[in-house]
């Protein structure tokens, strides 16, 4: 401890000044982070305690928690330690302001909120919990500010790390100071990287690295021990200026050897450990036994659990605790009957001082005590894992139950508990091991550990009996999916074909499932394997089986295959079959065939069936959440966002796209993140926010360069090029987009490419390369001729119009642009229709038809503003200003600033958004259409200068 006997902090003047400055900065009503880093015993905890005291003196709400060395498998341990008691003290009406949805998510983490529990969310949607915690911090900070101090984060569980990563990327919109202490060398790399990024962006207010005390400060620290000069000098030299080590050595107060031993916290001086051991030996045996029970029970520990763990008499516990308090080995906490060890090193030393065999019994007794009081499996699993015998079926069942309960919010902990259950299962119990390996493989994959997941799948395949074809196909499909996510597409196809050959020629559901996987291969890779042709029989097999759900899945997969090969007529036919089937199937039957909704809905936007896509994809998302099957959640959300943007629901599309990216970041799988980033870029391009789109595309471009070639990498590179053109770099656009021309990719023609080629035309014209632009226009026109769809015609006409306008044929350009607007309107692509009118207005103005130009530009401006496509709206406004018309930005003026500028209806809608309601739920509550809600949201976004629902919710929470 770097605290003098008088209570002051020794030797940390600069750090204390920095912390005071951080507290003053909270008056700006903005969130910030501060970190305290250093070696064990350097004084991080003492400095954090001083920060808490100063924050409390300023009137802030102060909450603190600590990660613990022996409880690193307990999900959200530091957060529960910090928040749970306070949440339990709040009246229900204060909590209910958070909204039922958020409370249900928080209740799955914080025991004191168990009464608000609701249905579990999907494993991949842990971001919903993260957003709920962020909203909770904002609510707790309202009116006074909040300090959340988390100590010893080098021991934090992965669920806590994920949450902190989220808060660093999206800080609370209120006066929240998050103080983190840790040992730098032991901090998870992902958190270290995020903190560095936060420091660059200004969210991390201070990063304080604590070094050793000077010799003079060390003498001051141990002054109360009245040591002679020689001993003080020896204490300093042996401690190296480490405050905790110095205090421990000063307690011993005698000469010491200079040897070190590897202790629980790294290289701890032998004499430091000897000093702690001396303290323990000085204790009466019953008190030492209770102390060991406390080390097993946790830190902080409940007195009753420590008593149960050590097996001592409960009646003697208060007297024994007094002895421990008097020896300063433990300290009281604000919660009654809960105590902390003086330092984590002390707890580790006490734990290690108990024999291994004794600890086995103590953990068993602690688990039994928790069971008697009705504690959930997650609270007991920690002790069961450390004490159960191999073959203990009850222990295995408890660990599995704990794993299932943690799977959605903390998959890393779930994987650990599945592993522990597997370790308890005898080798000869093949069926039991198989039953554990399958969920273990899925959970490990959800943690982003694809190689480990693949290994577990192979273990499981070796255990599948020959007569269980369905289980073998399920595992093969999982293995192939993991291979695809790793970029090993040919390997994935080979696995599927091998399993297919093993089934023989007889039609079966298993055979059809494999054929469906092979049929959909062109949707993932640029170079389709010959093996994928084996999927062409999928619909034939499904029809022979008479299963409408299988027929729907097969037809949807063949829609992907046909469309990605440029066979649009065939794709439309398969899509019609699939759509008719899925629309007839009830949710119960379709729940096991969500792939049908994924493949069909994923292709429908490229077949210009946007509203159908929204219906099918939304149903897929809902079924994924209801069934807990998150396999297709990211692509479902990604394509849903694109379809929503195309029909003019830009605010909703942004939220959907952000959800997809949050899920992908949590998955930790680069290929999925690339997929989700592509969806976010497509939405921002449709919104006309090319600066945001460019930043996202740049991340995707860098990520794609590290992966195997895929359709997603090619497309995000092309979109990156598009954004570079819009930001003034046409040469870069040509470099990136030109590489996606017909000769660059197999299959040659896809319906998603014309809009990218249209951007290429504009870039080439900007570089005065008209011959090259003409050639690209011909590509687009050929694609439009091959695809009987309105949107390829729209892009072809707009590209030709841009060419004509550059050539001086303004009237022809205007005619083509207006025809393009009609094409887009027939498709239901409302933003593209309005963009076409902006181009028509520019051409009409060049042709001297000013009145018509103004009419088209005003219509485009009005419609784009209503859709929330503000970047494209500004382009229409620029045309109007060029024609001498004054343009007032909608929503920019009001009777006040910020939230005060919102109309009554806009504020009402914004409050409901802050409560976590969807547009559909808000529309139902207010008896309005979803379109009207989207319009009000778009105006609120404009007035507040935000473009995301989370940011809007933060502004509303901060204001109130």
């Amino acid at each position: 401890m770097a605290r003098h006997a008088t209570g002051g902090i020794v030797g940390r003047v600069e750090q204390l000044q920095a912390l005071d400055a951080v507290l003053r900065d909270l008056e700006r009503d903005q969130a910030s982070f501060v970190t305290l880093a250093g070696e064990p015993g350097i004084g991080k905890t003492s400095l954090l305690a001083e920060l808490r005291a100063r924050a409390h003196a300023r009137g802030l709400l102060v909450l603190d928690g600590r990660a613990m060395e022996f409880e690193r498998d307990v999900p959200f341990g530091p957060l529960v330690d910090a928040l749970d008691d306070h949440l339990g003290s709040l009246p229900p009406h204060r909590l209910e302001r958070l909204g039922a949805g958020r409370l249900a998510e928080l209740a799955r983490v914080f025991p004191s909120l168990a009464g608000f529990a609701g249905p579990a969310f999907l494993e991949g949607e842990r971001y919903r919990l993260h957003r709920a915690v962020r909203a909770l911090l904002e609510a707790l900070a309202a009116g006074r500010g909040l300090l959340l101090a988390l100590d010893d984060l080098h021991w934090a569980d992965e669920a806590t790390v994920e949450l902190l990563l989220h808060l660093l990327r999206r800080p609370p919109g209120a006066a929240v100071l998050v103080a983190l202490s840790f040992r730098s060398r032991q901090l998870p790399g992902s958190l270290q990287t995020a903190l560095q990024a936060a420091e660059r962006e200004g969210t991390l207010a201070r990063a304080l690295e604590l070094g050793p005390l000077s010799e003079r400060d060390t003498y001051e620290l141990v002054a109360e021990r009245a040591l002679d000069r020689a001993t003080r000098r020896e204490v300093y030299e042996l401690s190296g200026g480490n405050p905790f080590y110095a205090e421990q050595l000063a307690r011993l107060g005698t000469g010491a050897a200079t040897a070190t031993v590897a202790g629980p916290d790294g290289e701890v001086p032998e004499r430091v450990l000897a000093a702690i051991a001396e303290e323990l030996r000085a204790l009466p045996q019953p008190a030492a036994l209770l102390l060991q029970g406390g080390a097993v029970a946790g830190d902080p520990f409940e007195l009753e659990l420590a008593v149960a763990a050590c097996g001592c008499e409960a009646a003697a516990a208060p007297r024994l605790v007094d002895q421990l308090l008097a020896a300063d080995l433990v300290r009281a906490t604000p919660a009654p009957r809960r105590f902390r060890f003086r330092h984590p090193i002390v707890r580790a030393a006490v734990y290690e001082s108990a024999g291994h065999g004794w600890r086995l019994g103590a953990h068993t007794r602690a688990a039994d005590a928790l069971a008697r009081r009705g504690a959930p499996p997650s609270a007991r699993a920690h002790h069961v894992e450390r004490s159960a015998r191999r073959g203990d079926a009850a222990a295995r069942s408890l660990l599995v139950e704990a794993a299932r309960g943690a799977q959605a919010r903390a998959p890393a902990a779930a994987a650990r508990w599945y592993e522990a259950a597997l370790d308890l299962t005898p080798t000869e119990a093949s069926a039991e091991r198989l039953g554990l390996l399958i969920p273990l493989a899925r959970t490990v994959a959800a943690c982003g550990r694809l190689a480990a997941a693949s290994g577990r799948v192979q273990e499981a395949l070796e255990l599948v009996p020959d007569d269980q074809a369905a289980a073998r196909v399920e595992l093969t499909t999982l293995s192939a999916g993991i291979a695809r996510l790793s970029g090993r597409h040919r390997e994935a196809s080979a696995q599927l074909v091998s399993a297919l050959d093993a089934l023989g020629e007889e039609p079966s559901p298993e055979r059809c499932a494999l054929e469906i996987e092979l049929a959909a291969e062109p949707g993932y890779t640029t170079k389709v394997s010959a093996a994928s042709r084996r999927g062409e029989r999928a619909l034939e097999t499904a029809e022979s089986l008479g299963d409408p759900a299988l027929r729907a899945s097969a037809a949807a997969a063949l829609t992907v295959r046909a469309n990605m090969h440029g066979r649009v007529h065939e794709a439309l036919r398969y899509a019609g079959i699939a759509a008719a089937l899925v629309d007839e199937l009830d949710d119960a039957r379709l729940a096991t065939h969500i792939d049908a909704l994924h493949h069909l809905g994923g292709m429908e936007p490229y077949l210009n069936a946007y509203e159908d896509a929204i219906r099918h994809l939304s149903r897929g998302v809902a079924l994924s959440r209801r069934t807990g099957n998150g396999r297709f959640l990211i692509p479902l959300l990604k394509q849903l966002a694109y379809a929503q943007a195309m029909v003019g629901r830009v605010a909703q599309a942004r939220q959907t796209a952000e959800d997809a990216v949050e899920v992908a970041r949590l998955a930790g799988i680069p290929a999925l993140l690339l997929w989700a980033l592509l969806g976010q870029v497509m939405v921002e391009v449709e919104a006309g926010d090319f600066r945001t789109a460019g930043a996202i595309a740049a991340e995707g471009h860098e990520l794609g360069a590290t992966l195997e070639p895929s359709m997603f990498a090619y497309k995000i590179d092309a979109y990156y090029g598009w954004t570079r053109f819009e930001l003034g770099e046409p040469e870069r656009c040509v470099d990136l987009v030109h590489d996606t021309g017909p000769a660059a990719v197999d299959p040659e023609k896809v319906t998603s490419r014309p809009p990218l080629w249209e951007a290429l035309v504009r870039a080439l014209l900007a570089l005065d390369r008209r011959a090259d632009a003409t050639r690209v226009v011909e590509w687009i026109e050929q694609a439009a001729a091959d695809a009987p769809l309105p949107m390829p015609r729209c892009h072809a006409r707009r590209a030709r119009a841009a060419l004509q306008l550059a050539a001086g044929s303004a009237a022809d350009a205007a005619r083509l642009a207006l025809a393009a607007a009609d094409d887009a309107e027939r498709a239901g692509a409302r933003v593209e229709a309005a963009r076409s009118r902006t181009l028509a207005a520019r051409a009409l103005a060049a042709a001297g038809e000013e009145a018509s130009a103004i009419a088209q530009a005003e219509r485009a401006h009005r419609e784009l503003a209503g859709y929330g496509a503000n970047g494209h709206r500004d382009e229409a406004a620029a045309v109007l200003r060029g024609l001498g018309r004054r343009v007032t930005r909608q929503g920019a003026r009001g009777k006040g600033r910020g939230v005060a500028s919102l109309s009554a209806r806009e504020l009402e809608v914004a409050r409901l958004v802050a409560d976590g309601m969807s547009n559909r739920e808000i529309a139902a509550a207010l008896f309005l259409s979803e379109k009207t809600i989207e319009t009000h949201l778009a105006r609120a976004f404009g007035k507040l200068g935000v473009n995301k629902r989370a940011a809007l919710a933060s502004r509303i929470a901060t204001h109130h």
Side-chain angles (χ1 to χ4, degrees), residues 26 34 116 149 168 178 241 276 297 358 390 430 434 484 494 524 530 582 584 663 713 757 834:
L26 271 189
V34 63
F116 296 101
L168 283 163
V178 182
I276 297 173
W358 186 89
R390 188 173 176 82
S430 299
L434 179 60
R484 289 205 194 286
Y524 301 97
V582 299
E584 289 176 1
V663 174
W757 291 341

PDB file of all heavy atoms in Angstrom, residues 26 34 116 149 168 178 241 276 297 358 390 430 434 484 494 524 530 582 584 663 713 757 834:
ATOM      1  N   LEU A  26     -15.252  15.867 -15.498  1.00  0.00           N
ATOM      2  CA  LEU A  26     -16.589  15.263 -15.511  1.00  0.00           C
ATOM      3  C   LEU A  26     -17.682  16.313 -15.564  1.00  0.00           C
ATOM      4  O   LEU A  26     -18.818  16.021 -15.942  1.00  0.00           O
ATOM      5  CB  LEU A  26     -16.791  14.393 -14.270  1.00  0.00           C
ATOM      6  CG  LEU A  26     -16.372  12.924 -14.344  1.00  0.00           C
ATOM      7  CD1 LEU A  26     -16.853  12.199 -13.110  1.00  0.00           C
ATOM      8  CD2 LEU A  26     -16.915  12.240 -15.585  1.00  0.00           C
ATOM      9  N   VAL A  34      -9.992   6.307 -17.121  1.00  0.00           N
ATOM     10  CA  VAL A  34      -8.654   6.532 -16.587  1.00  0.00           C
ATOM     11  C   VAL A  34      -8.093   5.168 -16.195  1.00  0.00           C
ATOM     12  O   VAL A  34      -8.843   4.296 -15.730  1.00  0.00           O
ATOM     13  CB  VAL A  34      -8.671   7.489 -15.370  1.00  0.00           C
ATOM     14  CG1 VAL A  34      -9.466   6.903 -14.217  1.00  0.00           C
ATOM     15  CG2 VAL A  34      -7.256   7.819 -14.926  1.00  0.00           C
ATOM     16  N   PHE A 116     -36.753  -9.339 -12.527  1.00  0.00           N
ATOM     17  CA  PHE A 116     -37.076  -8.732 -13.823  1.00  0.00           C
ATOM     18  C   PHE A 116     -36.683  -9.631 -14.991  1.00  0.00           C
ATOM     19  O   PHE A 116     -36.709  -9.205 -16.145  1.00  0.00           O
ATOM     20  CB  PHE A 116     -36.340  -7.394 -13.987  1.00  0.00           C
ATOM     21  CG  PHE A 116     -36.755  -6.351 -12.993  1.00  0.00           C
ATOM     22  CD1 PHE A 116     -35.971  -6.072 -11.884  1.00  0.00           C
ATOM     23  CD2 PHE A 116     -37.934  -5.641 -13.168  1.00  0.00           C
ATOM     24  CE1 PHE A 116     -36.334  -5.097 -10.972  1.00  0.00           C
ATOM     25  CE2 PHE A 116     -38.312  -4.665 -12.255  1.00  0.00           C
ATOM     26  CZ  PHE A 116     -37.511  -4.390 -11.151  1.00  0.00           C
ATOM     27  N   ALA A 149     -15.216   2.169 -10.471  1.00  0.00           N
ATOM     28  CA  ALA A 149     -13.807   1.810 -10.288  1.00  0.00           C
ATOM     29  C   ALA A 149     -13.682   0.292 -10.280  1.00  0.00           C
ATOM     30  O   ALA A 149     -14.296  -0.381  -9.447  1.00  0.00           O
ATOM     31  CB  ALA A 149     -13.283   2.391  -8.978  1.00  0.00           C
ATOM     32  N   LEU A 168     -15.684   1.225 -24.333  1.00  0.00           N
ATOM     33  CA  LEU A 168     -14.610   2.049 -24.884  1.00  0.00           C
ATOM     34  C   LEU A 168     -14.951   2.515 -26.294  1.00  0.00           C
ATOM     35  O   LEU A 168     -14.619   3.637 -26.686  1.00  0.00           O
ATOM     36  CB  LEU A 168     -13.297   1.260 -24.896  1.00  0.00           C
ATOM     37  CG  LEU A 168     -12.601   1.139 -23.543  1.00  0.00           C
ATOM     38  CD1 LEU A 168     -11.571   0.019 -23.559  1.00  0.00           C
ATOM     39  CD2 LEU A 168     -11.940   2.462 -23.158  1.00  0.00           C
ATOM     40  N   VAL A 178     -14.938   5.882 -15.711  1.00  0.00           N
ATOM     41  CA  VAL A 178     -14.605   4.478 -15.492  1.00  0.00           C
ATOM     42  C   VAL A 178     -13.110   4.398 -15.221  1.00  0.00           C
ATOM     43  O   VAL A 178     -12.293   4.757 -16.078  1.00  0.00           O
ATOM     44  CB  VAL A 178     -14.977   3.614 -16.707  1.00  0.00           C
ATOM     45  CG1 VAL A 178     -14.668   2.140 -16.422  1.00  0.00           C
ATOM     46  CG2 VAL A 178     -16.459   3.784 -17.053  1.00  0.00           C
ATOM     47  N   GLY A 241      11.427  -0.408  -3.874  1.00  0.00           N
ATOM     48  CA  GLY A 241      10.506   0.716  -3.878  1.00  0.00           C
ATOM     49  C   GLY A 241       9.059   0.313  -4.092  1.00  0.00           C
ATOM     50  O   GLY A 241       8.188   1.166  -4.246  1.00  0.00           O
ATOM     51  N   ILE A 276       4.323 -12.709   5.140  1.00  0.00           N
ATOM     52  CA  ILE A 276       2.910 -13.102   5.173  1.00  0.00           C
ATOM     53  C   ILE A 276       2.754 -14.417   5.935  1.00  0.00           C
ATOM     54  O   ILE A 276       1.842 -14.576   6.761  1.00  0.00           O
ATOM     55  CB  ILE A 276       2.352 -13.223   3.737  1.00  0.00           C
ATOM     56  CG1 ILE A 276       2.402 -11.861   3.030  1.00  0.00           C
ATOM     57  CG2 ILE A 276       0.924 -13.752   3.753  1.00  0.00           C
ATOM     58  CD1 ILE A 276       2.044 -11.910   1.562  1.00  0.00           C
ATOM     59  N   ALA A 297     -13.734 -19.278  -0.410  1.00  0.00           N
ATOM     60  CA  ALA A 297     -15.065 -18.712  -0.691  1.00  0.00           C
ATOM     61  C   ALA A 297     -15.010 -17.567  -1.682  1.00  0.00           C
ATOM     62  O   ALA A 297     -15.942 -17.366  -2.473  1.00  0.00           O
ATOM     63  CB  ALA A 297     -15.709 -18.235   0.607  1.00  0.00           C
ATOM     64  N   TRP A 358      -6.940 -30.477   1.318  1.00  0.00           N
ATOM     65  CA  TRP A 358      -7.889 -29.695   2.120  1.00  0.00           C
ATOM     66  C   TRP A 358      -8.745 -28.803   1.228  1.00  0.00           C
ATOM     67  O   TRP A 358      -9.948 -28.651   1.452  1.00  0.00           O
ATOM     68  CB  TRP A 358      -7.119 -28.853   3.142  1.00  0.00           C
ATOM     69  CG  TRP A 358      -8.042 -28.124   4.094  1.00  0.00           C
ATOM     70  CD1 TRP A 358      -8.523 -28.584   5.274  1.00  0.00           C
ATOM     71  CD2 TRP A 358      -8.598 -26.814   3.906  1.00  0.00           C
ATOM     72  NE1 TRP A 358      -9.352 -27.648   5.852  1.00  0.00           N
ATOM     73  CE2 TRP A 358      -9.421 -26.542   5.029  1.00  0.00           C
ATOM     74  CE3 TRP A 358      -8.491 -25.845   2.905  1.00  0.00           C
ATOM     75  CZ2 TRP A 358     -10.120 -25.357   5.171  1.00  0.00           C
ATOM     76  CZ3 TRP A 358      -9.192 -24.654   3.061  1.00  0.00           C
ATOM     77  CH2 TRP A 358      -9.994 -24.424   4.181  1.00  0.00           C
ATOM     78  N   ARG A 390     -13.795 -37.603 -11.320  1.00  0.00           N
ATOM     79  CA  ARG A 390     -14.078 -38.123 -12.654  1.00  0.00           C
ATOM     80  C   ARG A 390     -15.184 -39.159 -12.560  1.00  0.00           C
ATOM     81  O   ARG A 390     -15.163 -40.039 -11.693  1.00  0.00           O
ATOM     82  CB  ARG A 390     -12.813 -38.739 -13.246  1.00  0.00           C
ATOM     83  CG  ARG A 390     -12.937 -39.138 -14.715  1.00  0.00           C
ATOM     84  CD  ARG A 390     -11.571 -39.564 -15.243  1.00  0.00           C
ATOM     85  NE  ARG A 390     -11.625 -40.046 -16.600  1.00  0.00           N
ATOM     86  CZ  ARG A 390     -11.640 -39.273 -17.685  1.00  0.00           C
ATOM     87  NH1 ARG A 390     -11.603 -37.968 -17.535  1.00  0.00           N
ATOM     88  NH2 ARG A 390     -11.671 -39.796 -18.893  1.00  0.00           N
ATOM     89  N   SER A 430     -18.940 -42.984 -24.607  1.00  0.00           N
ATOM     90  CA  SER A 430     -18.923 -42.308 -25.915  1.00  0.00           C
ATOM     91  C   SER A 430     -20.147 -41.427 -26.129  1.00  0.00           C
ATOM     92  O   SER A 430     -20.033 -40.310 -26.623  1.00  0.00           O
ATOM     93  CB  SER A 430     -18.831 -43.349 -27.032  1.00  0.00           C
ATOM     94  OG  SER A 430     -17.651 -44.097 -26.911  1.00  0.00           O
ATOM     95  N   LEU A 434     -20.005 -37.464 -26.742  1.00  0.00           N
ATOM     96  CA  LEU A 434     -20.538 -36.886 -27.977  1.00  0.00           C
ATOM     97  C   LEU A 434     -21.545 -35.787 -27.666  1.00  0.00           C
ATOM     98  O   LEU A 434     -21.548 -34.730 -28.300  1.00  0.00           O
ATOM     99  CB  LEU A 434     -21.182 -37.983 -28.818  1.00  0.00           C
ATOM    100  CG  LEU A 434     -21.806 -37.540 -30.153  1.00  0.00           C
ATOM    101  CD1 LEU A 434     -20.760 -36.919 -31.063  1.00  0.00           C
ATOM    102  CD2 LEU A 434     -22.480 -38.735 -30.839  1.00  0.00           C
ATOM    103  N   ARG A 484     -15.342 -22.756 -43.989  1.00  0.00           N
ATOM    104  CA  ARG A 484     -15.672 -21.586 -44.824  1.00  0.00           C
ATOM    105  C   ARG A 484     -15.316 -20.285 -44.102  1.00  0.00           C
ATOM    106  O   ARG A 484     -14.779 -19.357 -44.713  1.00  0.00           O
ATOM    107  CB  ARG A 484     -17.153 -21.593 -45.181  1.00  0.00           C
ATOM    108  CG  ARG A 484     -17.559 -22.657 -46.170  1.00  0.00           C
ATOM    109  CD  ARG A 484     -18.811 -22.250 -46.926  1.00  0.00           C
ATOM    110  NE  ARG A 484     -19.402 -23.363 -47.642  1.00  0.00           N
ATOM    111  CZ  ARG A 484     -18.919 -23.904 -48.748  1.00  0.00           C
ATOM    112  NH1 ARG A 484     -17.796 -23.441 -49.253  1.00  0.00           N
ATOM    113  NH2 ARG A 484     -19.525 -24.908 -49.335  1.00  0.00           N
ATOM    114  N   ALA A 494     -15.058 -30.313 -50.059  1.00  0.00           N
ATOM    115  CA  ALA A 494     -14.575 -31.697 -50.039  1.00  0.00           C
ATOM    116  C   ALA A 494     -15.209 -32.474 -48.887  1.00  0.00           C
ATOM    117  O   ALA A 494     -15.578 -33.651 -49.039  1.00  0.00           O
ATOM    118  CB  ALA A 494     -13.059 -31.711 -49.934  1.00  0.00           C
ATOM    119  N   TYR A 524     -20.383 -17.557 -51.362  1.00  0.00           N
ATOM    120  CA  TYR A 524     -19.304 -17.288 -50.416  1.00  0.00           C
ATOM    121  C   TYR A 524     -17.957 -17.012 -51.073  1.00  0.00           C
ATOM    122  O   TYR A 524     -17.152 -16.261 -50.544  1.00  0.00           O
ATOM    123  CB  TYR A 524     -19.144 -18.482 -49.463  1.00  0.00           C
ATOM    124  CG  TYR A 524     -20.383 -18.803 -48.670  1.00  0.00           C
ATOM    125  CD1 TYR A 524     -21.267 -19.796 -49.091  1.00  0.00           C
ATOM    126  CD2 TYR A 524     -20.696 -18.103 -47.509  1.00  0.00           C
ATOM    127  CE1 TYR A 524     -22.418 -20.091 -48.371  1.00  0.00           C
ATOM    128  CE2 TYR A 524     -21.840 -18.385 -46.789  1.00  0.00           C
ATOM    129  CZ  TYR A 524     -22.694 -19.380 -47.220  1.00  0.00           C
ATOM    130  OH  TYR A 524     -23.839 -19.661 -46.514  1.00  0.00           O
ATOM    131  N   ALA A 530     -15.779 -27.363 -58.507  1.00  0.00           N
ATOM    132  CA  ALA A 530     -16.587 -28.252 -59.340  1.00  0.00           C
ATOM    133  C   ALA A 530     -17.547 -29.070 -58.480  1.00  0.00           C
ATOM    134  O   ALA A 530     -18.639 -29.432 -58.919  1.00  0.00           O
ATOM    135  CB  ALA A 530     -15.679 -29.168 -60.149  1.00  0.00           C
ATOM    136  N   VAL A 582     -42.030 -20.799 -48.188  1.00  0.00           N
ATOM    137  CA  VAL A 582     -41.785 -20.268 -46.835  1.00  0.00           C
ATOM    138  C   VAL A 582     -42.978 -19.466 -46.343  1.00  0.00           C
ATOM    139  O   VAL A 582     -43.248 -19.432 -45.131  1.00  0.00           O
ATOM    140  CB  VAL A 582     -40.497 -19.414 -46.777  1.00  0.00           C
ATOM    141  CG1 VAL A 582     -39.280 -20.227 -47.150  1.00  0.00           C
ATOM    142  CG2 VAL A 582     -40.600 -18.174 -47.645  1.00  0.00           C
ATOM    143  N   GLU A 584     -46.008 -20.210 -46.828  1.00  0.00           N
ATOM    144  CA  GLU A 584     -47.049 -21.151 -46.402  1.00  0.00           C
ATOM    145  C   GLU A 584     -46.670 -21.882 -45.114  1.00  0.00           C
ATOM    146  O   GLU A 584     -47.544 -22.322 -44.377  1.00  0.00           O
ATOM    147  CB  GLU A 584     -47.303 -22.189 -47.504  1.00  0.00           C
ATOM    148  CG  GLU A 584     -48.006 -21.625 -48.731  1.00  0.00           C
ATOM    149  CD  GLU A 584     -48.147 -22.672 -49.829  1.00  0.00           C
ATOM    150  OE1 GLU A 584     -47.714 -23.831 -49.605  1.00  0.00           O
ATOM    151  OE2 GLU A 584     -48.687 -22.333 -50.891  1.00  0.00           O
ATOM    152  N   VAL A 663     -22.605  -7.965 -33.403  1.00  0.00           N
ATOM    153  CA  VAL A 663     -22.588  -9.429 -33.289  1.00  0.00           C
ATOM    154  C   VAL A 663     -21.284  -9.977 -33.839  1.00  0.00           C
ATOM    155  O   VAL A 663     -20.650 -10.856 -33.246  1.00  0.00           O
ATOM    156  CB  VAL A 663     -23.788 -10.045 -34.041  1.00  0.00           C
ATOM    157  CG1 VAL A 663     -23.688 -11.569 -34.040  1.00  0.00           C
ATOM    158  CG2 VAL A 663     -25.102  -9.622 -33.404  1.00  0.00           C
ATOM    159  N   ALA A 713     -14.899  -9.736 -49.787  1.00  0.00           N
ATOM    160  CA  ALA A 713     -13.684  -8.937 -49.892  1.00  0.00           C
ATOM    161  C   ALA A 713     -13.671  -8.144 -51.195  1.00  0.00           C
ATOM    162  O   ALA A 713     -13.307  -6.956 -51.206  1.00  0.00           O
ATOM    163  CB  ALA A 713     -12.457  -9.852 -49.819  1.00  0.00           C
ATOM    164  N   TRP A 757     -20.179  -0.393 -60.750  1.00  0.00           N
ATOM    165  CA  TRP A 757     -19.647   0.030 -62.047  1.00  0.00           C
ATOM    166  C   TRP A 757     -20.100   1.446 -62.391  1.00  0.00           C
ATOM    167  O   TRP A 757     -19.390   2.194 -63.053  1.00  0.00           O
ATOM    168  CB  TRP A 757     -20.078  -0.947 -63.132  1.00  0.00           C
ATOM    169  CG  TRP A 757     -19.440  -2.304 -63.012  1.00  0.00           C
ATOM    170  CD1 TRP A 757     -18.311  -2.622 -62.323  1.00  0.00           C
ATOM    171  CD2 TRP A 757     -19.910  -3.515 -63.595  1.00  0.00           C
ATOM    172  NE1 TRP A 757     -18.039  -3.955 -62.438  1.00  0.00           N
ATOM    173  CE2 TRP A 757     -19.000  -4.539 -63.219  1.00  0.00           C
ATOM    174  CE3 TRP A 757     -20.995  -3.864 -64.396  1.00  0.00           C
ATOM    175  CZ2 TRP A 757     -19.145  -5.864 -63.622  1.00  0.00           C
ATOM    176  CZ3 TRP A 757     -21.150  -5.181 -64.808  1.00  0.00           C
ATOM    177  CH2 TRP A 757     -20.234  -6.169 -64.426  1.00  0.00           C
ATOM    178  N   ALA A 834     -35.058   8.875 -55.954  1.00  0.00           N
ATOM    179  CA  ALA A 834     -34.823  10.286 -55.658  1.00  0.00           C
ATOM    180  C   ALA A 834     -33.440  10.720 -56.143  1.00  0.00           C
ATOM    181  O   ALA A 834     -33.276  11.832 -56.671  1.00  0.00           O
ATOM    182  CB  ALA A 834     -34.964  10.526 -54.157  1.00  0.00           C
TER     183      ALA A 834
END
